[in-house]
Amino acid sequence: MIRIATIGTSVITDAFIGAASRTPGIEVAAVSSRDAAKARAYADRLGVAESFAGLDDLLADPRIDAVYVGSPNSAHGGQVAAAIEAGKHVLVEKPAVATAEEWDDLVERSRAAGVVLLEAMRTAYDPGIVALRERIATLGVLRRASFHYAKRSSRYDAVLAGETPNIFDPAMGGGALADLGVYGVHATVLLFGEPLGVSASSVPIATGADGAGLAVLEYPGLVVDVAYSKITSAVRPSEIQGEDATLLIDHLASPRRLTRIGLDGAESTWESDAAVDVLDGEVARFVELVEGGVAPDEDQARTSQTLRTLERIRRAAG
């Protein structure tokens, strides 16, 4: 049994604890926060036995095998490095760190320490992705794809009121690309590999972060646009266009309805009643890696490629 402790007390950590409770082989043994009272209250609310104030005691505890890093983006790198040095396996929330160079360095450190390092990117491990990849093969030569994830954040009202919540604070690694655009970029890398060309534009907001944006990712014979926003919401599906058919995707991060439309208009649909936005797949993969069934090389390389593409998008968007 893997005994894991969490870092961070946000909604995503709630979701992780829920997923871990449904996944064999792992147990959330403790939570942590910089404030002892907050950590204890959080542990009580989520039904976790132990709590820590800060990282030092957590990382020094031999009963803890692994950590889940769900803190603000800007804190990930230092916390991951400290956990690796302490000999803990690490599952770190997306985006893992700001740059591919930093990620590659952490990967090397994890290998030297003999621990697993995995980015918690649910898209890669969602059951809908398996169905999606199977149906792509029926579309003929792929020519266009349009991926988007746009959902107006409830925290945007705080921005409009003159505040700077973490999710919209550039100093904390916030912004629409890091929070939602990453799903489209990751899906593109997962399905088509690292792009050859990148162009982009973004919509800045009062905090200095990007509130929305669009990236165009180029491949030989294929063009993919990735749209994202935390200040507006989208209602249309994503899609992949081949020369023989088009595939509509209802929810990019958690596909639950895929509709293939042929050139003659004939439709065929795959549907799943599984819950959306669950983290069970990534937690199961983490358990598999820690238990030693497979190496994380492919997972880590995909994270590196995604981070490198995100960097190119930021540079292109200016």
Side-chain angles (χ1 to χ4, degrees), residues 2 89 114 116 284-296:
I2 301 165
H89 303 289
V116 168
R285 177 61 169 172
F286 184 66
V287 171
E288 178 184 30
L289 294 172
V290 172
E291 290 181 342
V294 289

Side-chain angles (χ1 to χ4, degrees), residues 210-264:
D210 60 321
L214 174 70
V216 177
L217 309 180
E218 302 171 14
Y219 298 83
L222 170 68
V223 176
V224 181
D225 65 83
V226 176
Y228 49 92
S229 175
K230 286 185 68 64
I231 58 176
T232 60
S233 293
V235 295
R236 63 184 176 86
S238 294
E239 66 178 22
I240 301 173
Q241 302 170 12
E243 292 187 354
D244 298 336
T246 293
L247 187 69
L248 303 183
I249 308 161
D250 68 330
H251 189 297
L252 185 61
S254 302
R256 295 296 177 265
R257 181 181 176 88
L258 305 173
T259 303
R260 182 188 185 277
I261 305 175
L263 297 179
D264 60 356

Side-chain angles (χ1 to χ4, degrees), residues 7 12 17 20 31 40 42 56 72 75 86 114 127-128 133 149 178 193 200 219 223-224 250 254 274 292 295-296 313:
I7 301 173
I12 194 64
I17 292 173
V31 303
R40 186 64 257 162
Y42 186 74
D56 291 346
R133 298 180 85 165
Y149 198 153
Y219 298 83
V223 176
V224 181
D250 68 330
S254 302
I313 291 171

